[in-house]
Amino acid sequence: MDSVITAAGRALAAGDPLGALKRVALRDDAPALALRGLAMAQLGDLVRARALLRGAHRAFQPKEAVARARCVVAEAEIALVSRELSWPVEALDAAQATLQAHGDPMNAAHARNLVLRRLLLIGRLDEAELRLAEIDPAKLTPALQAAHELVVAGLSLRRLRTGTARAALTRAHAAARAADIPALTSEVESASLILNEVAARWISRGSVRALRLDDVEALMASDTLVVDACRNGVRKAGTEVSLATRPVLFTLARMLAEAWPGDVSRELLVDRAFRARHADESHRARLRVEIGRLRAALHDVAELRATKRGFAMATRDGCAMVVLAPPVEEPHAALLALLADGESWSSSALAIALGTSPRTVQRALEQLGAAGKAQSFGRGRACRWIMPIVPGFPTTLLLPGPLPSD
Amino acid sequence: MKPSAAEILREYGPFPGTDQVAGVTFDGRHVWFASGDKLIALDPESGETLRTIDVAAHAGTAFDGRHLFQIAEDRIQKIDPTNGTVLGTIPAPGGGTDSGLAWAEGTLWVGQYRARKIHQIDPETGAILRTIESKRYVTGVSWVDDQLWHATWEGEEADLRRVDPQTGDVLDIIEMPPGMGVSGLESDGADRFFCGGGNSGKIRAVRRPKKARSSGDDK
């Protein structure tokens, strides 16, 4: 490295992108282009940053493998922050291997962290957990340690292990302060807010309570039968039945749980579950079929019985029953949960994150847009979606992914 | 001329509180090395660091017998090693693309990293007196026994090479092990070179070959 690149690199590492930029603003050689790209990324001009990094990648010689790999990692980070989830991860894996092989463990660790953040964002928690175990945080610099602990916290929150998450956030906070990078510290602080915010609503016997994430964790660990409207499943003490692909059965289960210990009339069940105003004989027949299916699905945890006017549900061991509902009930709540991170998303990235088709996402976005709950800017492939105002509810329970104990 | 393999005699560092080694020089007893925002004196026998001067230190370091010279950003600082005072600055010839620095017979020699050049400059004004071309990226620069040596680091490969100070012709090459970069270069005047190890934060002592030592005046 030459002297100004060294000076600019030190400024950048200390969280002073303007100081770095000031030193290399007029230079167009490969290392200067790379540094300018990194500085622009820190300043939030991601489009310019990406162009500069691509220019740097071209300007480095093919033999300068490490420098080129660093450009790839930086570009991958920009793609992640821009929520371009279709960015080729193979290139990132290859860059990480190059950095590791050429004695740059810190940038290799940064590359691994990006892979993990992407897996977390698209709900591939098992894979993220597996790859997390390969990393020894003690060997990382404070800034990388903070980033690592944020991933640990993110994973633990999604797994509903709030104690682990809290401990990871505490370590992240200490590491961020040791790194002395204000942006990192504020990122950790905003991540920590999730623990104190309303994560879900508890509905039982006609009353509603707001729950924080650790309340949810305690509820899940208790004896109570939980009809989980955040994940569309029924859970009790380690046993869980997913009804995510069977919306009619879930609607019935939720109605019965909300009425517990009372019953629900056939008319109301038909009205809500089948969206039929007047229950005729064919609807009643279909209701019997669906109740039979639900009875079979919930056989281990609950029993369903017919009453004079409809149906009722009871737990097998006489314990309580609650409905766990999202803090705000909306159609397309999972979509809004993703948009709630405040980033601008492409519809294709949302489709990747939710594991659904781009067309489905597109339709949902149009509805949300018409209702003023999402906003788009740009056209065609450059079109991005954001939330008009970032709401204060956390997204953890609504984000895609298997149930916490999976 | 057949390249020889570097013989690493000893490794120093990484040192607490530093994450990189840029320039290195030798004042007859201690190795001084540049580490971003400070110059650090190392005792090459004990391996202990002895003193620190807080001064911007981003690339090459040199010693003229009384003063330290240190490249910081786009200038060269002249420093009194007894108290750390910056006595004066001159512009660096590469305008900040500079790497290595050496002192010889009243002039400074400055490596210009990716331009693959070595400039001889006037230490009072910074004026360029002469420029020789290298085939590879130039990092450290050093004079020993009337021989001009410079280090290279390009495409993950590094070596130390002796060049003709008039023509730039390569006279000797000592190849570093794969992946071991050299960011700064200085000899102890005898049989050792001290090599800055860049982001590894290390300094390595490399044996200076006998052949090179005995052929000081050939061309």
Side-chain angles (χ1 to χ4, degrees), chain A residues 70-153:
Chain A
R70 287 176 187 151
C71 290
V72 171
V73 173
E75 211 193 312
E77 181 164 18
I78 290 171
L80 182 77
V81 173
S82 319
R83 300 297 182 251
E84 285 180 34
L85 303 183
S86 52
W87 194 84
V89 278
E90 300 78 24
L92 183 57
D93 280 331
Q96 188 249 308
T98 301
L99 293 166
Q100 194 68 48
H102 286 85
D104 185 356
M106 290 309 150
N107 279 305
H110 185 52
R112 269 200 297 273
N113 199 267
L114 292 175
V115 172
L116 283 167
R117 280 169 63 187
R118 183 177 176 278
L119 288 173
L120 212 54
L121 199 58
I122 62 176
R124 279 156 64 182
L125 305 187
D126 289 336
E127 206 175 322
E129 200 152 44
L130 217 61
R131 297 189 69 160
L132 199 60
E134 298 166 4
I135 299 169
D136 177 5
K139 291 186 178 159
L140 303 176
T141 60
L144 282 167
Q145 258 174 28
H148 174 82
E149 297 297 351
L150 277 175
V151 170
V152 173

Side-chain angles (χ1 to χ4, degrees), chain A residues 1-7 10 23 27 29-31 59-61 63-67 70 102, chain B residues 19-20 35-37 58-59 71 73-74 95-98 113-114 116 137 154-157 199:
Chain A
M1 276 193 287
D2 65 45
S3 50
V4 160
I5 295 293
T6 303
R10 293 182 71 82
R23 291 173 168 91
R27 278 176 57 173
D29 53 297
F60 280 115
Q61 298 172 24
K63 278 178 78 180
E64 294 179 271
V66 170
R70 287 176 187 151
H102 286 85
Chain B
D19 51 8
Q20 67 190 126
S35 181
D37 49 12
H58 302 126
I71 302 178
E73 302 202 22
D74 58 357
T97 62
D98 312 87
Y113 182 39
R114 292 174 78 92
R116 304 186 177 94
Y137 292 167
E154 185 166 342
E156 318 299 327
E157 290 168 0
N199 291 333

Side-chain angles (χ1 to χ4, degrees), chain A residues 329-331 336 339 367-375 386-389:
Chain A
E329 296 222 42
E330 301 251 19
L336 288 171
L339 290 173
Q367 286 174 25
L368 288 171
K373 287 171 182 156
Q375 254 176 16
I386 53 168
M387 210 167 236
I389 32 156

